[in-house]
Amino acid sequence: MKDTCVTMTLPVFDTLKKVFGFQSFRPNQEEIIRNILERKDVFAVMPTGGGKSLCYQLPARLMKGTTVVISPLISLMKDQVDAALENGISATFINSSLSPEETTSVFRRLRNNSLDLLYIAPERYAMPGFTEILKTVSISLFAIDEAHCISEWGHDFRPDYMSLSDITKTFPDTPVTAFTATATPKVQNDIIRKLGLRSPFTIRASFNRPNLYYRVESKRELKTQVLDIIRKYPGEPGIIYRTTRDSVTHMADMLKEKGIRVLPYHAGLSQEERKINQEAFNRDEVNVITATIAFGMGIDKSNVRFVIHADLPKNIEGYYQETGRAGRDGEPAECVLFFGRQDIPKIKYFIDQMPDGPERTVASDKLTQMIQYASHNVCRRRQLLGYFGEEVADKNCGTCDICTGTVEKVDVTTDAQIIMSAMSRTEQRFGIVHIIDIVTGADTRRIRELEHHKIKTYGAGKDRDKNHWRFIVDELLAQDVIHQDGDRYPILKLTEKGKHILFGKEKVSALKRQDSKKKLSSGKIRGLEQYDEALFERLRALRKTLADGQGVPPYIVFSDKTLREMCRRYPSAMPDMAGITGVGTAKLERYGRDFIKEITAYLAEHQATSIVSAQ
Ligand code: ADP
Ligand code: MG
């Protein structure tokens, strides 16, 4: 009994440490791996960045035979194979980009039993004769990545995945595992049933991403607001999502003018252009990509430090998935939504174009939830996770604008009453601009013609500017205190809730950003432990050179997390370097000396200054 424990425990941790260079497992990884090693089927839903690849790559290294990974995108396959190779795992892929000779050579390696990992697309699995070949070689495990693609109920159904539905029958003795980042319980059951998984060990991990900081800002001077964020992360990667191709192009041009290294990405660009731009971003050749939601699937880039939504997303699923591309390396990253009420009618217009029926209602409800996310005084994390049916245990999540108090709740009942009184005294027949004109005591022709300067509320709010009153109106709309009626010239109407507030039976409060003095420093928002930033710049440059030499993206050489750890611990000999997270044996051999040399040189140059500052 004891013996089996020892032989099970040691190789698993040893491999984690030596091959991947990690000191500990992320949540659920160990249990999944142990079940796989016991040859059980596995089904796992884990968030983006949760570390799903390790769950099958580690057993692939330990088990006899080849692990076959089914993955939907060629670009993703290539990066995953590169990452495995960097860790010294023998890995390759078969897909349409290979010549017949190259494919034959992969088959040879399969037969020689010299491959730990083989990546294929589902189309390949379906090709006549392919499973026959697999049956003649030793397969340790099947790992189906992005497994939600097999379900019509999911948001990303791919008919090619259906060919996998005979996999457990065709390979009755081989464990089959399925991984995804998005599956409702309904989709989960569908996947398990379609793949015929045999009483799988099942994990539904928490969707919480503790290293992501969520905040919402009202969209005012978008250009300045976006630039402020980019400048907080000099030289570091970020994604800006926009809804239309034009706005993507416009934003990219604007940023380029400001000296930011940026490229656009949207479905209107040729396939070649999209590939080039994605690759440039992946390889840290540009820092920022401005994109429509067409961008994202198919990149595993781990060092994205911020994701900005410059327009309102249509629903929380999409929003969560897009923000999820930040901070896969587990280092702090920021997700900012610029919320402007002017974006709502555009989305509503699209929803109205949908054929009448349940789908339209669902889309409309989802939009309402998205608006609530942006406008309610509730912890952002609690709202996001709540949407997926998960509760947040902590009252204060500590990493969103609400919980860190960069926004404060202020009572706006009196201001709300001024607006609503102006509405009510003009019989709720006017729109936002006119109501604000009344409240601020504007001298317009329309006001004179309608004699609205004679009503009691005229000028009641003239000590505040129009922006303030626009803010109040937006808040009241968001909280359903008032609503807009009519499409072309919408007029403001009171809701039941509004009437209660107008007559003093209820109060209303709004979220306001605190003045800049009280704002969190970017360091606090970034939540980074201190590190030597000057050294980081040098190591990053070195990483880029080495990555280019190997023809892989820089984050595959070492993650930002790994570089930062070097910038705290200054490893100056091979054994110290081996102790850094993300430095496994293969990477130590390949890159250890170069990094030690750079760190030692840096220390020598800076010794004088550090001695002085230490005194
Ligand atoms: P997923 O496929 O679930 O989105 P990945 O497999 O791409 O996530 O992993 C995300 C990042 O986390 C990668 O950079 C990976 O190297 C890193 N990672 C995975 N497991 C661990 C671990 N146990 N410790 C530290 N980093 C890890
Ligand atoms: Mg993955």
Side-chain angles (χ1 to χ4, degrees):
M1 185 67 203
K2 196 166 164 244
D3 264 342
T4 40
C5 277
V6 171
T7 50
M8 284 292 279
T9 309
L10 266 183
V12 170
F13 280 107
D14 219 40
T15 314
L16 180 70
K17 181 82 200 44
K18 292 217 172 104
V19 176
F20 297 90
F22 299 143
Q23 332 290 338
S24 58
F25 282 110
R26 293 237 177 106
N28 304 305
Q29 286 180 327
E30 192 182 351
E31 296 87 311
I32 292 174
I33 289 167
R34 291 199 183 285
N35 276 277
I36 293 177
L37 294 177
E38 285 171 18
R39 307 188 62 78
K40 290 210 183 98
D41 286 354
V42 168
F43 174 83
V45 192
M46 285 160 79
T48 310
K52 293 186 280 295
S53 327
L54 185 105
C55 295
Y56 50 80
Q57 290 189 351
L58 195 153
R61 188 56 200 263
L62 287 179
M63 294 165 90
K64 208 172 140 286
T66 305
T67 290
V68 177
V69 184
I70 290 131
S71 167
L73 293 168
I74 292 183
S75 61
L76 212 61
M77 255 183 230
K78 185 172 177 323
D79 285 351
Q80 291 238 348
V81 166
D82 282 342
L85 289 173
E86 287 290 306
N87 281 330
I89 301 173
S90 113
T92 192
F93 54 75
I94 304 181
N95 63 33
S96 52
S97 73
L98 296 192
S99 67
E101 293 75 36
E102 285 169 320
T103 312
T104 314
S105 136
V106 176
F107 284 136
R108 197 173 315 121
R109 292 175 68 191
L110 258 180
R111 275 193 290 273
N112 292 347
N113 222 339
S114 65
L115 267 181
D116 286 330
L117 268 175
L118 172 67
Y119 281 77
I120 58 166
E123 298 89 305
R124 180 66 49 170
Y125 182 87
M127 276 185 189
F130 187 73
T131 49
E132 295 311 312
I133 296 178
L134 288 189
K135 277 189 202 162
T136 63
V137 299
S138 161
I139 305 296
S140 52
L141 170 72
F142 285 102
I144 300 164
D145 208 3
E146 313 291 347
H148 59 279
C149 293
I150 202 174
S151 171
E152 288 103 326
W153 302 108
H155 57 86
D156 222 3
F157 175 59
R158 283 163 188 255
D160 287 322
Y161 264 70
M162 290 300 271
S163 65
L164 298 169
S165 57
D166 67 3
I167 195 161
T168 46
K169 286 199 197 74
T170 314
F171 297 91
D173 302 322
T174 313
V176 176
T177 57
F179 296 89
T180 172
T182 55
T184 58
K186 185 172 172 179
V187 172
Q188 168 173 335
N189 290 336
D190 200 33
I191 298 171
I192 293 177
R193 199 177 48 81
K194 287 230 171 74
L195 290 174
L197 299 186
R198 298 145 293 192
S199 323
F201 173 70
T202 300
I203 287 285
R204 279 193 78 83
S206 163
F207 268 59
N208 189 18
R209 301 278 311 277
N211 60 318
L212 301 190
Y213 185 99
Y214 300 99
R215 71 190 167 94
V216 180
E217 261 188 50
S218 57
K219 185 150 124 183
R220 285 167 277 113
E221 302 276 335
L222 187 60
K223 201 166 135 178
T224 326
Q225 289 174 299
V226 167
L227 276 167
D228 277 353
I229 297 175
I230 296 177
R231 291 193 173 130
K232 211 161 76 184
Y233 298 90
E236 297 195 71
I239 306 173
I240 303 171
Y241 280 110
R242 303 229 51 177
T243 28
T244 65
R245 297 172 188 185
D246 279 352
S247 53
V248 164
T249 313
H250 182 247
M251 175 71 71
D253 290 346
M254 182 280 282
L255 293 175
K256 207 172 289 163
E257 231 167 69
K258 295 284 176 188
I260 309 290
R261 294 185 309 153
V262 54
L263 282 172
Y265 188 103
H266 57 71
L269 300 175
S270 71
Q271 208 175 349
E272 189 57 23
E273 256 176 304
R274 270 184 282 166
K275 198 172 147 206
I276 291 172
N277 292 2
Q278 171 166 324
E279 197 62 15
F281 180 63
N282 217 16
R283 295 187 177 227
D284 287 353
E285 267 137 34
V286 295
N287 302 120
V288 178
I289 198 119
T290 64
T292 57
I293 55 172
F295 179 76
M297 178 83 163
I299 51 158
D300 267 354
K301 188 175 173 63
S302 70
N303 59 339
V304 174
R305 295 274 70 92
F306 60 89
V307 171
I308 296 173
H309 282 77
D311 305 298
L312 186 68
K314 289 192 196 68
N315 56 53
I316 289 185
E317 277 109 324
Y319 180 65
Y320 199 66
Q321 196 172 25
E322 285 134 31
T323 55
R325 291 170 186 142
R328 279 177 183 241
D329 50 13
E331 291 278 271
E334 188 176 5
C335 311
V336 188
L337 165 64
F338 290 111
F339 176 47
R341 208 146 267 287
Q342 64 274 25
D343 290 345
I344 299 173
K346 293 176 217 155
I347 306 178
K348 281 207 168 131
Y349 176 80
F350 281 109
I351 294 177
D352 287 343
Q353 304 305 301
M354 294 168 72
D356 204 2
E359 270 179 48
R360 191 159 90 182
T361 316
V362 168
S364 175
D365 289 349
K366 287 187 170 177
L367 174 62
T368 307
Q369 282 167 307
M370 190 69 230
I371 298 169
Q372 285 171 348
Y373 167 80
S375 49
H376 278 184
N377 314 347
V378 178
C379 164
R380 313 280 181 205
R381 180 166 268 103
R382 180 175 299 273
Q383 292 191 73
L384 289 173
L385 294 178
Y387 182 86
F388 298 103
E390 191 177 328
E391 273 183 37
V392 177
D394 291 334
K395 264 219 161 73
N396 186 320
C397 83
T399 36
C400 78
D401 52 356
I402 308 274
C403 290
T404 53
T406 52
V407 289
E408 66 183 336
K409 212 164 146 177
V410 286
D411 187 318
V412 292
T413 310
T414 312
D415 286 353
Q417 286 166 334
I418 291 176
I419 291 285
M420 288 190 286
S421 148
M423 284 164 55
S424 150
R425 284 171 199 277
T426 52
E427 284 140 19
Q428 305 185 49
R429 282 173 42 228
F430 296 89
I432 297 176
V433 174
H434 189 70
I435 294 295
I436 292 180
D437 279 346
I438 295 177
V439 167
T440 51
D443 182 22
T444 69
R445 211 173 90 196
R446 198 146 178 245
I447 289 204
R448 284 193 302 274
E449 276 171 13
L450 294 161
E451 301 204 326
H452 282 169
H453 56 290
K454 293 188 176 154
I455 67 171
K456 202 167 157 232
T457 334
Y458 181 76
K462 64 175 182 301
D463 51 331
R464 303 297 303 262
D465 65 8
K466 285 196 171 163
N467 283 338
H468 169 77
W469 292 106
R470 178 73 214 203
F471 167 77
I472 297 291
V473 169
D474 283 347
E475 276 297 319
L476 298 182
L477 284 166
Q479 298 186 37
D480 207 28
V481 173
I482 57 179
H483 68 100
Q484 281 181 300
D485 198 23
D487 279 340
R488 275 176 74 93
Y489 302 105
I491 56 172
L492 292 177
K493 297 257 188 205
L494 296 176
T495 63
E496 279 309 307
K497 190 169 166 192
K499 287 177 197 155
H500 281 123
I501 294 165
L502 180 59
F503 299 122
K505 291 187 197 142
E506 236 180 85
K507 287 194 169 304
V508 58
S509 55
L511 294 183
K512 280 208 134 170
R513 284 195 75 71
Q514 293 188 340
D515 60 33
S516 53
K517 271 185 294 200
K518 285 196 204 154
K519 258 194 218 167
L520 280 188
S521 70
S522 71
K524 180 94 185 275
I525 284 189
R526 297 195 56 174
L528 283 174
E529 221 181 291
Q530 285 227 323
Y531 64 98
D532 187 329
E533 291 177 32
L535 176 59
F536 184 71
E537 287 313 314
R538 289 182 54 162
L539 297 189
R540 198 157 63 162
L542 173 63
R543 172 176 72 176
K544 175 72 181 139
T545 315
L546 294 172
D548 288 350
Q550 298 282 330
V552 299
Y555 72 89
I556 284 180
V557 169
F558 283 135
S559 71
D560 280 11
K561 192 185 176 77
T562 300
L563 292 197
R564 285 213 177 84
E565 203 172 312
M566 291 183 196
C567 296
R568 289 184 197 108
R569 292 170 48 188
Y570 304 94
S572 57
M574 291 293 263
D576 305 339
M577 188 54 98
I580 302 281
T581 305
V583 185
T585 314
K587 288 186 180 175
L588 180 69
E589 277 305 313
R590 192 170 298 155
Y591 305 119
R593 280 176 200 86
D594 288 324
F595 279 85
I596 288 172
K597 210 167 123 199
E598 189 71 19
I599 293 168
T600 320
Y602 173 86
L603 285 178
E605 287 164 34
H606 287 73
Q607 214 153 33
T609 29
S610 56
I611 290 170
V612 171
S613 60
Q615 281 169 351

